[in-house]
């Protein structure tokens, strides 16, 4: 059994991106510039945006965070997005979710110019991805593909069971792995799936992305399966200084011995997600994708 080391793979890719940025700047270009919009005071969102800022500085990008009060109007936010769409000094931007309830995430998402949509969430990028055209891929699915590639995990003809059908993880990773080059036979399970355990047991590759701590147990996993755990749930803990710890969607200790490969939480998929955002921003600066 091999534990997939997302931190190590992320560090390798980070170095490659930093080297590319250095060359780019030496050729007389300005650094790639990522802007994040943060609305309100959600603690987790602030942490995620902080991680993104740090990742930018590590690879030599410029980053800007636009912070707005939770009571701004949707029209105001649409105006800010229009400015970013038109700003030649901005290569890519993201709107950190969730947004306050009175703002439509869908309307905001659709207002983002797909050429600057480095989260890969707009309908144009989603459609292009589905068609197998060059697109900004959503970061978490792209991070999973990078891990499979790095560990040379065979996917062709394998049965991949994805648990979860969200627009940002479950559905895109299911779509990507069914495409030419990855060639998996894919099944998507969700909250209405009947006898989910017996479906998951048929998976050569199982991707757990449902957000329920330690949901996947050893009896649901076939001997020798590859298990990718996307879930992140914060639970209280008296064993850590912070008073909480992170759990994945997989009961790691009992599932790991049955696997050929498994990602831990933390240190598996998580570190890859930000790297994929950096990859997309670099591509946007190079005008490589669209
Ligand atoms: P989501 O809540 O949008 O979607 C969850 C999906 O799981 C839904 O499609 C639902 O149908 C399905 N589901 C819920 N309960 C189920 C059950 N009992 N059986 C089968 N399916 C069930 O979540 P999301 O945004 O896709 O995130 C999923 C998890 O991944 C969360 O824990 C999130 O924190 C984590 N996540 C991690 C990263 C990362 O970088 N590692 C990135 C994104 C999300």
């Amino acid at each position: 059994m091999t534990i997939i080391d997302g931190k190590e793979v992320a560090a390798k890719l980070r170095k490659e991106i930093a080297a590319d940025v250095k060359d780019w700047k030496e050729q007389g270009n300005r650094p790639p510039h990522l802007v994040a919009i943060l609305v309100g005071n959600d603690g987790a969102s602030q942490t995620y945006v902080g991680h993104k800022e740090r990742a930018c500085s590590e690879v030599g990008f410029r980053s800007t965070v636009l912070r707005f009060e939770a009571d701004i109007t949707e029209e105001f936010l649409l105006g800010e997005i229009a400015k970013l769409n038109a700003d030649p000094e901005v290569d890519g931007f993201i709107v950190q979710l969730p947004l306050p309830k009175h703002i439509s995430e869908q309307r905001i998402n659709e207002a983002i110019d797909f050429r600057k949509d480095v989260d890969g969430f707009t309908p144009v990028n989603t459609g292009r991805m589905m068609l197998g055209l060059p697109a900004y891929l959503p970061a978490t699915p792209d991070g999973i593909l990078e891990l499979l590639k790095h560990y040379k995990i065979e996917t062709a003809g394998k049965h991949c069971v994805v648990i979860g059908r969200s627009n940002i993880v479950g559905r895109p990773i299911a779509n990507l792995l069914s495409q030419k080059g990855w060639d998996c036979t894919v099944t998507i399970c969700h909250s209405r799936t009947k006898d989910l355990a017996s479906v998951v047991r048929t998976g050569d590759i199982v991707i757990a992305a449902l957000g329920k701590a330690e949901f996947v147990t050893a009896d649901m996993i076939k001997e020798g399966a590859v298990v990718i755990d996307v879930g992140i749930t914060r639970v209280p803990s008296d064993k850590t200084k912070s008073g909480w710890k992170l759990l994945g969607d997989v009961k790691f200790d009992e599932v790991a011995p049955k696997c050929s490969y498994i990602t831990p939480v933390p240190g598996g998929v998580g570190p890859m997600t930000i790297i994929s955002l950096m990859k997309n921003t670099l591509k946007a600066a190079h005008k490589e994708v669209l």
Side-chain angles (χ1 to χ4, degrees):
M1 182 269 297
T2 301
I3 297 180
I4 292 177
D5 189 341
K7 272 197 220 157
E8 186 188 280
V9 183
K12 174 180 162 270
L13 293 175
R14 193 179 301 116
K15 259 196 202 153
E16 289 174 12
I17 296 170
D20 188 312
V21 173
K22 191 166 166 275
D23 284 351
W24 179 246
K25 289 197 257 188
E26 279 168 9
Q27 288 161 29
N29 299 297
R30 62 162 175 75
H33 183 196
L34 174 69
V35 176
I37 294 182
L38 182 57
V39 183
N41 298 311
D42 179 71
S45 293
Q46 294 192 21
T47 306
Y48 292 143
V49 167
H51 289 163
K52 289 168 189 173
E53 275 185 289
R54 199 174 64 208
C56 281
S57 86
E58 282 167 356
V59 295
F61 288 179
R62 177 180 165 201
S63 71
T64 305
V65 181
L66 300 177
R67 290 186 169 79
F68 301 115
E69 298 296 328
D71 61 357
I72 59 166
T73 63
E74 188 175 296
E75 286 62 38
F76 174 84
L77 190 53
L78 288 169
E80 291 301 310
I81 286 171
K83 281 191 228 162
L84 292 171
N85 283 340
D87 188 343
E89 295 294 310
V90 174
D91 296 303
F93 65 98
I94 60 170
V95 179
Q96 186 65 45
L97 301 177
L99 289 171
K101 292 229 163 8
H102 64 281
I103 299 178
S104 157
E105 290 186 355
Q106 189 206 323
R107 274 196 291 273
I108 297 301
N109 186 31
E110 289 194 65
I112 297 171
D113 186 328
F114 63 91
R115 296 176 208 88
K116 296 192 177 186
D117 167 30
V118 286
D119 257 342
F121 291 166
T122 59
V124 173
N125 272 309
T126 306
R128 291 182 67 97
M129 175 198 74
M130 294 266 305
L131 295 170
L133 295 171
Y136 294 114
L137 299 184
T140 304
D142 183 58
I144 295 171
L145 296 182
E146 285 287 357
L147 289 177
L148 295 173
K149 207 160 51 177
H150 181 87
Y151 282 86
K152 300 188 171 55
I153 292 170
E154 183 62 75
T155 53
K158 302 288 181 193
H159 182 206
C160 175
V161 177
V162 178
I163 316 174
R165 58 177 165 184
S166 74
N167 288 339
I168 64 167
V169 189
R171 276 199 271 191
I173 191 62
N175 179 270
L176 288 162
L177 283 172
S178 73
Q179 291 188 15
K180 272 206 163 57
W182 297 98
D183 301 311
C184 281
T185 304
V186 180
T187 302
I188 304 185
C189 294
H190 46 76
S191 49
R192 305 294 293 273
T193 298
K194 287 207 175 98
D195 196 6
L196 181 137
S198 65
V199 180
V200 176
R201 254 192 305 274
T202 63
D204 303 307
I205 301 172
V206 174
I207 300 182
L210 68 158
K212 299 234 176 332
E214 301 190 321
F215 178 91
V216 176
T217 47
D219 59 304
M220 293 162 75
I221 295 296
K222 176 160 88 174
E223 201 67 51
V226 174
V227 173
I228 306 290
D229 189 353
V230 182
I232 304 177
T233 306
R234 230 162 108 147
V235 294
S237 166
D238 51 18
K239 294 200 179 75
T240 62
K241 242 198 325 196
S242 61
W244 51 266
K245 63 176 180 175
L246 299 181
L247 288 180
D249 285 346
V250 175
K251 210 163 191 178
F252 185 87
D253 290 346
E254 63 173 58
V255 170
K258 292 184 85 173
C259 298
S260 53
Y261 293 88
I262 185 166
T263 61
V265 175
V269 175
M272 297 300 295
T273 294
I274 285 193
I275 287 295
S276 294
L277 176 65
M278 300 297 116
K279 266 174 59 188
N280 278 347
T281 306
L282 186 61
K283 285 181 185 163
H286 289 338
K287 310 254 178 302
E288 241 173 51
V289 176
L290 305 162

